[in-house]
């Protein structure tokens, strides 16, 4: 392999990383949900996700948020964060890319 | 690697996490999506373990320890490719349909993974003595260097999916430090060769 091609292959990941949109920090979504006694039940969360038309794969508590791994009606793999008290859908990611954000919600 | 039982034992140790993952999946203890991260991370760790041997041997000089590590380097690389393939199998099981896999192929977090796997396939496919003899040492070594862009793409794949830079940085740090140390050693050696009296 020529050196120039090898250099291009090495630079490609860096360029991809730089070109990707920046506001994706799904690793640290905060919901400011307060004490857990006030949180709605996971069953309610599953129902809420079902009403979105999703097929739920897994639900869990992530930090102070409810997190849902699901498939949309078209089969897209998504990861969604819900407020545990209001069950408002706050932010949805598809493979790390933000595809929905509730109006006024700003993850830190 | 010497010894009648050493090689099978070593390969068994490398295969053990895969067997446990497959057993968990078969028992229904985990979902395929739960195994995506461990299989991918183990693949990255094995690649790094394979890549660390060269620069560290260059820094610390020849010793039995590094000779042993260099001797198993190819095995580590092939095992890394094995775990990357297992990662792909878990991805296929999780997605369940070719159409949805193709649908997300254009996402940067996904195509970087596919490209990393394609780049890794080349060194893995020629990781045996006969291929080295046929290609010639220089060509063979050049092809093996594809693991560098492969590793970078794997880390970008990881970062774009998780958006947590710390785990990827922790994995890259030992390799970066080993290469930095090797460059310092080479620089010093060059200076001392130019000024033998110093």
């Amino acid at each position: 392999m020529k050196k120039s091609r090898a250099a291009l292959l090495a630079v490609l990941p860096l360029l991809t990383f730089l070109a990707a949109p920046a506001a994706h920090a799904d690793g640290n979504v905060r919901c400011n949900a307060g004490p857990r006694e006030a949180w709605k039940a996971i069953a309610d969360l599953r129902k809420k996700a079902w009403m979105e038309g999703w097929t739920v794969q897994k639900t869990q508590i992530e930090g102070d948020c409810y997190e849902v791994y699901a498939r949309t009606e078209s089969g897209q793999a998504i990861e969604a964060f819900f407020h545990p008290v209001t069950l408002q859908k706050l932010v949805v990611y598809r493979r790390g890319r933000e595809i929905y954000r509730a109006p006024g919600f700003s993850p830190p | 690697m010497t010894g009648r039982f050493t090689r099978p034992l070593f390969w068994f140790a490398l295969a053990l996490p895969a067997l446990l993952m497959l057993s968990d999946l078969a028992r229904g203890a985990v979902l395929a999506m739960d195994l995506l991260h461990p299989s991918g991370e183990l693949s990255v760790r094995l690649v790094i373990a394979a890549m660390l041997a060269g620069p560290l041997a260059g820094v610390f000089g020849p010793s039995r320890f590094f000779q042993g590590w260099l001797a198993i380097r190819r095995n580590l690389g092939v095992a890394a490719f094995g775990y990357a393939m297992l990662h792909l199998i878990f991805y296929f099981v999780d997605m369940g349909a070719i159409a949805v896999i193709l649908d997300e192929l254009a996402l940067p977090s996904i195509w970087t993974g596919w490209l990393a796997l394609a780049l890794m396939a080349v060194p893995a496919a020629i990781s045996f003595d006969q291929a080295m003899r046929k290609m010639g040492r220089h060509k063979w070594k050049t092809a093996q260097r594809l693991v560098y862009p492969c590793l970078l793409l794997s880390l970008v794949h990881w970062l774009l999916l998780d958006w947590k830079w710390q785990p990827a940085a922790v994995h890259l740090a030992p390799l970066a430090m080993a290469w930095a140390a090797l460059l310092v050693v080479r620089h010093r050696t060059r200076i001392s060769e130019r000024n033998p009296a110093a």
Side-chain angles (χ1 to χ4, degrees), chain A residues 69-83:
Chain A
Y69 289 92
R71 289 293 145 78
T72 63
E73 281 167 307
S74 59
Q76 292 181 351
I78 53 156
E79 182 187 358
F81 289 83
F82 286 81
H83 193 284

Side-chain angles (χ1 to χ4, degrees), chain A:
Chain A
M1 195 190 317
K2 285 182 182 173
K3 272 189 178 175
S4 56
R5 277 192 209 160
L8 181 70
L9 278 172
V11 167
L12 198 65
L14 184 67
L15 288 177
T16 310
F17 188 60
L18 290 174
H24 288 181
D26 70 329
N28 51 8
V29 174
R30 304 258 186 283
C31 292
N32 299 317
R36 288 200 182 177
E37 296 81 57
W39 291 17
K40 291 239 168 61
I42 287 277
D44 295 336
L45 173 71
R46 285 183 163 268
K47 189 177 173 190
K48 173 90 177 172
W50 177 76
M51 284 164 70
E52 294 275 348
W54 301 345
T55 306
V56 176
Q57 288 181 292
K58 187 177 164 182
T59 55
Q60 64 184 35
I61 295 169
E62 180 67 39
D64 66 343
C65 300
Y66 275 153
E67 187 178 17
V68 176
Y69 289 92
R71 289 293 145 78
T72 63
E73 281 167 307
S74 59
Q76 292 181 351
I78 53 156
E79 182 187 358
F81 289 83
F82 286 81
H83 193 284
V85 177
T86 63
L87 290 187
Q88 184 194 8
K89 185 174 71 179
L90 297 175
V91 62
V92 182
Y93 298 97
R94 183 187 180 208
R95 299 296 186 204
R97 175 180 277 182
E98 187 179 306
I99 55 171
Y100 171 82
R101 185 188 293 211
F105 177 69
S106 53

Side-chain angles (χ1 to χ4, degrees), chain B residues 70-93:
Chain B
L70 286 168
I72 60 166
R73 187 164 53 167
R74 260 192 275 169
N75 302 61
L76 293 171
V78 172
F81 181 68
Y83 278 96
M85 289 304 293
L86 193 62
H87 182 67
L88 182 68
I89 290 168
F90 292 145
Y91 175 65
F92 270 73
V93 173

